[in-house]
Amino acid sequence: MQIVVLTGAGISAESGLGTFRDKGGLWETYPLEEVATPEGFARNPAKVHDFYNARRENALGSVPNAAHKALADLERLPGVALTLITQNIDNLHERAGSQRVIHMHGELMQALCSSCGARWDAPAVMSPDAPCPTCNRPAARPDVVWFGEIPYHMDRCLAALEAADVFAAIGTSGEVYPAAGFSAEAARSGAETIEINLEASAAYFDSRIIGPATETVPAWVETFR
Ligand code: BJW
């Protein structure tokens, strides 16, 4: 059975990482135009680095929860071919044991040179004047996908959605495209679609499981044993 799972910030909420659009979410404190757009980075790189440095510190101090672990178990179940796509830039899926994770919005623990395109392991604290290890220019940015940029690995995501028997969106508000269109893509390919979330989003799904991810995801994974 081909299963595609899309995860969002809600799956890491119970590990202590902030979501974006919930009450008290990151965008209430940090306007997204300032910290999650290429224009915001060009205007004030130090502010953007501070935002991601704080989130990197938070992520390094967090641990995977029961929902991350259940998805790592799902990957290993006989008869299941899982494609795990995450919008999250944390590495909690990998630390829970998932082997193949598609990070469509990039990774907090990676740095990218906006001048030459080189990538390397991000230090805990990034700064605007740190030189790129390849071209030596002071052009290091977090390797994340901001608004107006093209998400990573779209070809792999679309191929998986086309082949999916089951599509599950976990802990995502469905407000950010192209990920918000994945359930419709999967449905067009004949997949059964399911939303697993604390609150129902506005998107159409065949069914929903409502509740905290640490309870709902392990219970859903059990249905495939
Ligand atoms: C729980 C829980 C618990 C809580 N248990 N659940 C007009 C129409 C259509 C599109 C556009 C448009 N204008 C502009 C666009 C495009 C734009 C877009 O979508 N804008 C919208 C705002 C309208 N998109 C883009 O620019 C993207 N690029 C693009 O489209 O390129 C064109 C292209 C695409 C494809 C092929 C070719 C070309 C890029 C989007 C980049 C998003 N980047 C960010 C920040 C960077 C990473 C980071 O800093 O972390 O990614 S924005 C932010 O939102 C982050 C997230 O990954 C993303 C999604 O958020 P998520 O995960 O859904 O979090 P929340 O907070 O929204 O929801 C949390 C959910 O969890 C809630 O539902 C809670 O209920 C739930 N929850 N606790 C279970 N315990």
Side-chain angles (χ1 to χ4, degrees):
M1 178 181 294
Q2 306 269 351
I3 303 178
V4 177
V5 168
L6 170 71
T7 62
I11 197 167
S12 298
E14 291 165 83
S15 292
L17 304 189
T19 61
F20 298 94
R21 296 168 185 83
D22 292 317
K23 194 167 167 1
L26 289 167
W27 295 158
E28 272 184 16
T29 315
Y30 307 92
L32 70 87
E33 301 77 13
E34 290 177 19
V35 296
T37 61
E39 296 79 11
F41 184 64
R43 272 194 303 272
N44 193 342
K47 181 173 194 167
V48 176
H49 277 305
D50 286 350
F51 173 66
Y52 284 97
N53 287 340
R55 289 178 61 198
R56 195 175 295 109
E57 186 182 0
N58 194 11
L60 285 168
S62 70
V63 291
N65 65 44
H68 299 105
K69 289 179 190 155
L71 292 180
D73 289 345
L74 181 62
E75 189 181 69
R76 290 190 285 267
L77 284 186
V80 168
L82 175 68
T83 301
L84 177 54
I85 304 170
T86 188
Q87 298 169 89
N88 299 342
I89 61 174
D90 66 57
N91 59 7
L92 292 177
H93 284 305
E94 286 89 345
R95 285 164 58 200
S98 287
Q99 301 281 318
R100 298 179 303 275
V101 185
I102 299 178
H103 280 274
M104 66 178 293
H105 289 167
E107 297 182 59
L108 189 53
M109 304 303 168
Q110 289 285 297
L112 167 69
C113 176
S114 46
S115 181
C116 75
R119 288 188 162 86
W120 65 99
D121 290 342
V125 178
M126 293 184 70
S127 66
D129 47 1
C132 163
T134 301
C135 73
N136 220 31
R137 292 194 190 94
R141 57 168 279 183
D143 188 9
V144 302
V145 178
W146 289 320
F147 285 104
E149 298 183 321
I150 298 178
Y152 297 157
H153 314 300
M154 281 304 295
D155 47 349
R156 288 170 66 197
C157 296
L158 295 175
L161 292 169
E162 216 168 276
D165 300 305
V166 174
F167 171 79
I170 301 175
T172 177
S173 60
E175 294 201 16
V176 176
Y177 287 85
F182 283 3
S183 60
E185 292 282 345
R188 259 195 294 281
S189 308
E192 176 198 337
T193 59
I194 178 164
E195 174 172 34
I196 303 177
N197 207 336
L198 200 54
E199 289 173 5
S201 71
Y204 175 82
F205 286 90
D206 294 319
S207 61
R208 290 191 156 84
I209 303 174
I210 300 299
T214 53
E215 293 173 17
T216 53
V217 178
W220 176 69
V221 167
E222 277 304 308
T223 66
F224 295 97
R225 279 191 200 277

